Structures are given as C-alpha cells and as structure tokens.
C-alpha cells in the first residue's frame, strides 16, 4: 500500500470515529454536537491542506525524476516555501546541474573524438565483442573501396575485400604489414579495450604502399647508378681498345684475318648490348614527374586501340575496347599513361600468344572509375603473384623485368591505386582506380 493511501485511510478512520462519537451524543447536548461538527470541518480542511503540502512536492519530484529518466536535465525544481523541502529542492537542483554539465562534457568529448577519428588519415575500425563492425572512419572506407552500407554491422570476413579478409585473421595485439594484390602494402595493428562490461576491438590500418615502394626505389636506384657507372666506364675503355685493335687487321695473315675481325666485332656488339641494357635500367630511374592535364580516358583508349590492333590481328587476338557513354576527364600525363596502357596490353598479348581475347572496359563505384584490361591468357600462378612488381623480376626467358616496374612507377607518380590478379575463371585483370572529379 502506498504511503498516500495509508495517510488518506488514517484520516478517514479518525473522522469516522469522530462521527460515531457525534452520533452517540446526539441529541442530548446540541452545543456539543455543533462544536464537534466545527472541529470535524476544521480537521478535514487542515488535513486536506497538509496532504496537499506533503503530496504536491512529491508529485513535482516524481515528474522531474521522470524527465531525468528521459535524459531531460533542462528543467529545475521550484522552491515551495517550506524550509525543509526547499533544502531538498536546492540539493536536487545542484545534482541536476552537475549531471547536465557532465553530460555536456561527455558529448563534447565524444564529438571531439569522433571528429578526430573521422579526420585521421589512418583507417580506424571498431568491432564489438562478437567481431561485428560498429564504427569506422572515412579513411578505412576508402581503403576497403566499399560503401558504408556494405560494412556496418558485418564481420570482416563477409566483406568483398581481400584486405578485410586478411584483417579478420589478425589476433589481439598483432601488428604487421600485409601485402595485397602484388603491390599494395598495409600496416595493421589490432588491440582491444573494455567498455560497458564487454571487450571491444579496434584495428588501425594505414596504406604503407608508397613508403615501401619509395624505400625499394631508393635501394635499386643506388644499385643501378653504381652498375651503370662501373659498366659504362669499363665498356667504353674496352670498346676503344677493341676498335684500335681492328686497325691492325691488315697486319694479320689472310687466313686468320676474317676470324680476327669477326671476333672483335662480336665483342664490340656484345659490349654495346650491355650498354643498351644498362640504359634501359637507368631509364627506370629517370622517369620524370608527370605533366598532368585534364584528358578524356576515352580518347586514351582510342589511341591505344589504334596502336595495338594490328599486332592483335596478326596473332588472331580480339581486342575489344568498350568506351564510356560520357566523357571521363582526369588529370594525367597523356604520354606516360599511354605508355602504361601499351605495356599492359603488350603483356596480355604475350600471355595469350595466339587465339584469345583482350577486353578493355570501365567499371563504376561511388567514388571511383576503374579501368580494366582483362585477358584469357596463361594467368598468374600463386607462386609468382607477390613478386610481379618486384624490380627486374620477369617470367620471360629474355625479359629484363622492366615493363611492370615502369608501369608501377608511373601509376604511383600519378597517385593511382592498381592491382593485377587472376580469378578462378583464368581471367587476368589489370585494374587502375581513378578518383572521380568534375568535368571541366
């Protein structure tokens, strides 16, 4: 039974007894009856006022507490004029004010942390205790190449991303560099924190490709420069001596003269081939910075088709180029990007050899245009997949390993992400990702 009900019941019982007392004295003493009636009336009025003074503050407190329960801390209690009650009101108002300040501080802190996470160039992914994705920032979204709706509330291994699948297998406390698609490197770290009685996990993800490739480039540039300096100096002196020796061929007997001259000529030619080889290596080092200008990728594909179509016809290879319905303007160095496409299609031709198909087409994502060059050639084996873009690595007998190295250098200088892979249907695709921009 509620206290209010008990109080009302007590008042009713007391006054009922007084009424019985009044009836028992009726009508012997009329003055006493009138006095008792007046006392009863005054008693009821007094009890009614006391009841209101006691219950009204409680009602107000109850309503305020209800507001607080719904996170409304803007209203305050009003003083009642009763000293004891006013002290309680003042204490409650101070408590509400402190709670409101704390909530404002927490909201500001939460907003600050959220803005900091979103602005961070490092990808940040927060998982719940069941490894479902709870929060992520824009950098992580771009690294995955997916839409926001494709990620929220899902597990990493269910996303259509090789990077996400690799991250799923990270253990708590792991920190390592993951290589994806032959050329993409990501520095990843997984840790956990305790919140709301449960463990939560977060993954910090950084595109480490540029740093890795710059370090790699510095290393092979030093090697190329050293080799080029030593070989060119030595070969120059040797060829000078060999050419001088040719001047003495007439002093050799006619029987040995032809062999003597041929031997020297072959030696000179081999030396010149070695110089040419070193020049090719040096050209990789000397790739200039791109001179970018707005250019329609459709026109780039048209010129590439014109140049490569005759070679494809000789080998009975269908070269199919699907242009975009609308112009696709991007800031590129036209000559360098043309060289990239020529090298990619040339590699596809060599992978097919004869009787095959090469498709060049665009695919669209929310923030990207992807240029695809796809062939049905021999494909890429898992053993060499992660070595394709390594400097001077080649699967060809006479290959120098420069084609993909040059492609890599040019695309990195253009700040374009790319990948090369063979799917389960033995189709090899080279993809170049262009970030969308306004048409001029």
């Amino acid at each position: 039974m509620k206290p209010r009900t008990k109080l009302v019941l007590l008042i009713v019982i007391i006054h009922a007894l007084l009424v019985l007392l009044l009836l028992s004295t009726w009508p012997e003493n009329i003055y006493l009856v009138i006095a008792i009636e007046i006392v009863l009336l005054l008693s009821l009025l007094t009890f009614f006022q006391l009841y209101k003074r006691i219950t009204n503050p409680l009602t107000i407190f109850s309503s305020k507490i209800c507001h607080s329960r719904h996170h409304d801390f803007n209203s305050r209690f009003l003083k009642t004029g009763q000293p004891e009650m006013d002290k309680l009101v003042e204490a409650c108002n101070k408590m509400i004010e402190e709670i409101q300040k704390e909530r404002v501080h927490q909201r500001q802190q939460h907003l600050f942390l959220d803005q900091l996470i979103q602005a961070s160039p490092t990808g940040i992914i927060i998982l719940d205790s069941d490894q479902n994705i709870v929060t992520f920032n824009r950098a992580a979204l771009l690294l995955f190449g997916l839409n926001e709706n494709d990620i929220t509330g899902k597990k990493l291994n269910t996303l259509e991303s090789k990077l996400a699948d690799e991250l799923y297998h990270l253990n708590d406390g792991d920190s390592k560099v993951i290589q994806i698609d032959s050329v993409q490197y990501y520095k990843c770290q997984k840790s956990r924190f305790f919140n709301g009685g449960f463990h939560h996990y977060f993954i910090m993800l950084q595109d480490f490709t540029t740093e890795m490739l710059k370090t790699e480039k510095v290393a092979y540039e030093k090697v190329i420069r050293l080799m080029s300096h030593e070989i060119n100096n030595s070969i120059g002196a040797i060829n000078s001596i060999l050419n001088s020796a040719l001047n003495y061929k007439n002093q050799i007997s006619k029987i040995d003269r032809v062999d003597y001259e041929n031997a020297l000529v072959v030696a000179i030619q081999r030396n010149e081939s070695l110089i040419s080889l070193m020049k090719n290596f040096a050209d990789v080092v000397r790739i200039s910075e791109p001179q970018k200008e707005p250019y329609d990728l459709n026109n780039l594909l048209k010129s590439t088709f014109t140049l490569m179509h005759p070679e494809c016809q000789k080998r009975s290879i269908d070269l199919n180029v699907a242009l975009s319905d609308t112009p696709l303007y991007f800031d590129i160095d036209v000559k360098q990007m043309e060289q990239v496409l020529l090298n990619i299609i040339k590699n596809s031709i060599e992978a097919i050899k004869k009787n095959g198909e090469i498709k060049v087409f665009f695919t669209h994502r929310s923030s990207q245009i992807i240029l695809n060059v796809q062939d049905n050639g021999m494909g890429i084996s898992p053993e060499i997949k992660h070595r394709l873009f390594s400097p001077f690595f080649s699967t060809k007998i006479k290959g120098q390993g420069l084609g993909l190295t040059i492609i890599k250098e040019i695309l990195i200088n253009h700040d374009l992400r790319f990948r090369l892979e063979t799917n389960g249907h033995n189709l090899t695709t080279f993809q170049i990702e262009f970030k969308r921009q306004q048409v001029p």
Side-chain angles (χ1 to χ4, degrees):
M1 187 181 296
K2 294 181 180 180
R4 291 184 184 183
T5 306
K6 290 180 179 180
L7 179 61
V8 172
L9 185 60
L10 178 61
I11 295 172
V12 170
I13 291 173
I14 292 173
H15 286 81
L17 292 174
L18 290 174
V19 169
L20 290 175
L21 178 62
L22 174 64
L23 291 176
S24 64
T25 59
W26 185 274
E28 296 177 358
N29 191 339
I30 189 64
Y31 297 104
L32 179 61
V33 172
I34 296 172
I36 293 174
E37 287 180 346
I38 293 173
V39 169
L40 284 174
L41 181 61
L42 293 175
S43 176
L44 283 173
L45 291 174
T46 302
F47 274 114
F48 179 73
Q49 290 179 353
L50 288 173
Y51 179 80
K52 286 182 62 178
R53 293 185 66 180
I54 293 172
T55 57
N56 283 349
L58 293 176
T59 304
I60 295 173
F61 270 105
S62 177
S63 66
K64 298 296 183 182
I65 291 172
C66 184
H67 290 164
S68 300
R69 190 181 302 168
H70 293 87
H71 308 293
D72 180 11
F73 297 99
N74 294 318
S75 57
R76 296 290 185 272
F77 294 109
L78 297 176
K79 291 185 177 182
T80 62
Q82 303 176 41
E84 295 81 3
M85 188 63 68
D86 288 346
K87 288 181 180 179
L88 181 60
V89 167
E90 186 176 353
C92 289
N93 285 339
K94 286 183 178 180
M95 181 183 67
I96 292 174
E97 187 175 348
E98 291 298 324
I99 293 174
Q100 186 181 29
K101 287 181 180 178
E102 184 63 26
R103 284 180 57 83
V104 170
H105 175 71
Q106 288 182 353
R107 286 178 180 176
Q108 290 175 341
Q109 191 175 42
H110 178 76
L111 180 61
F112 172 77
L113 289 175
D114 184 64
Q115 291 176 340
L116 183 64
I117 289 173
Q118 292 298 330
S120 172
T122 299
I124 299 175
I125 307 163
I126 299 178
L127 311 172
D128 61 18
S129 57
D130 295 324
Q131 302 288 331
N132 296 313
I133 299 174
V134 178
T135 307
F136 49 86
N137 64 354
R138 288 185 291 269
L141 198 64
L142 290 175
L143 290 175
F144 283 138
L146 299 173
N147 295 321
E148 183 175 346
N149 295 332
D150 298 331
I151 295 180
T152 306
K154 296 184 179 179
K155 295 184 183 296
L156 286 166
N157 63 333
T158 63
L159 303 181
E160 295 181 2
S161 168
K162 292 184 178 180
L163 175 59
D165 188 59
E166 290 287 343
L167 293 177
Y168 178 77
H169 294 93
L170 282 176
N171 295 318
D172 180 28
D174 281 355
S175 179
K176 63 180 181 179
V177 175
I178 297 174
Q179 183 180 1
I180 304 292
D181 298 328
S182 306
V183 73
Q184 299 293 333
Y185 296 88
Y186 299 92
K187 188 176 181 180
C188 312
Q189 182 175 354
K190 185 176 182 180
S191 301
R192 66 176 177 174
F193 61 96
F194 198 74
N195 182 47
F198 297 95
H199 286 293
H200 295 260
Y201 299 87
F202 69 93
I203 298 174
M204 299 182 68
L205 179 65
Q206 184 178 4
D207 191 338
F208 206 56
T209 304
T210 303
E211 288 76 5
M212 288 286 290
L213 296 180
K214 283 182 179 178
T215 303
E216 181 184 83
K217 183 179 179 181
V218 170
Y220 71 68
E221 279 182 353
K222 290 181 178 178
V223 173
I224 289 175
R225 287 194 177 98
L226 178 61
M227 291 174 58
S228 180
H229 176 75
E230 295 297 329
I231 290 175
N232 288 337
N233 287 347
S234 299
I235 294 300
I238 293 171
N239 277 354
S240 179
I241 295 172
L242 292 175
N243 283 314
S244 297
L246 277 176
N247 295 329
Y248 296 97
K249 64 182 180 180
N250 293 329
Q251 298 180 18
I252 306 298
S253 63
K254 291 183 179 180
I255 297 174
D256 300 322
R257 187 178 301 166
V258 175
D259 292 337
Y260 174 82
E261 183 177 5
N262 287 340
L264 292 178
V265 169
V266 169
I268 292 171
Q269 288 175 347
R270 292 303 302 164
N271 285 340
E272 289 176 349
S273 296
L274 185 56
I275 291 175
S276 178
L277 175 65
M278 289 310 305
K279 181 179 180 299
N280 290 337
F281 286 151
D283 287 341
V284 177
V285 178
R286 290 195 295 264
I287 293 177
S288 61
E289 289 295 320
Q291 304 299 314
K292 297 180 181 180
E293 59 177 315
Y295 196 76
D296 185 4
L297 294 183
N298 288 311
N299 293 333
L300 185 65
L301 264 57
K302 290 177 184 177
S303 62
T304 304
F305 176 83
T306 302
L307 292 171
M308 299 306 297
H309 186 249
E311 181 64 23
C312 290
Q313 280 187 319
K314 290 179 184 178
R315 298 174 180 249
S316 299
I317 297 174
D318 294 329
L319 178 59
N320 297 316
V321 177
L323 302 178
S324 173
D325 296 333
T326 58
L328 300 174
Y329 282 92
F330 293 92
D331 290 334
I332 60 173
D333 185 311
V334 180
K335 291 183 179 179
Q336 289 188 2
M337 288 303 299
E338 186 175 71
Q339 183 181 4
V340 166
L341 276 180
L342 291 175
N343 282 348
I344 294 173
I345 294 177
K346 181 182 176 183
N347 287 342
S348 294
I349 291 173
E350 292 174 350
I352 295 173
K353 295 181 180 178
K354 286 186 178 181
N355 301 319
E357 183 180 23
I358 300 173
K359 295 181 179 179
V360 185
F361 57 95
F362 295 103
T363 53
H364 299 258
R365 288 181 184 167
S366 58
S367 60
Q368 296 168 328
I369 298 291
I370 302 175
L371 174 59
N372 304 270
V373 180
Q374 188 178 85
D375 68 71
N376 59 351
M378 59 188 298
I380 302 169
S381 65
E383 292 78 15
I384 67 170
K385 178 180 178 180
H386 294 293
R387 302 176 60 194
L388 285 175
F389 290 91
S390 300
F392 320 126
F393 172 78
S394 177
T395 58
K396 304 167 189 173
I397 297 176
K398 296 183 179 181
Q400 300 174 6
L402 297 178
L404 288 177
T405 303
I406 292 173
I407 290 173
K408 178 179 70 176
E409 289 293 328
I410 292 175
L411 293 179
I412 289 174
N413 289 342
H414 278 75
D415 194 26
L416 298 174
R417 297 180 65 184
F418 57 96
R419 61 174 59 90
L420 174 60
E421 59 183 354
T422 299
N423 63 17
H425 302 287
N426 206 38
L427 294 175
T428 302
T429 307
F430 198 116
Q431 293 185 329
I432 305 174
E433 298 178 2
F434 294 86
K435 295 180 182 178
R436 288 184 184 272
Q437 60 187 54
Q438 296 292 333
V439 177

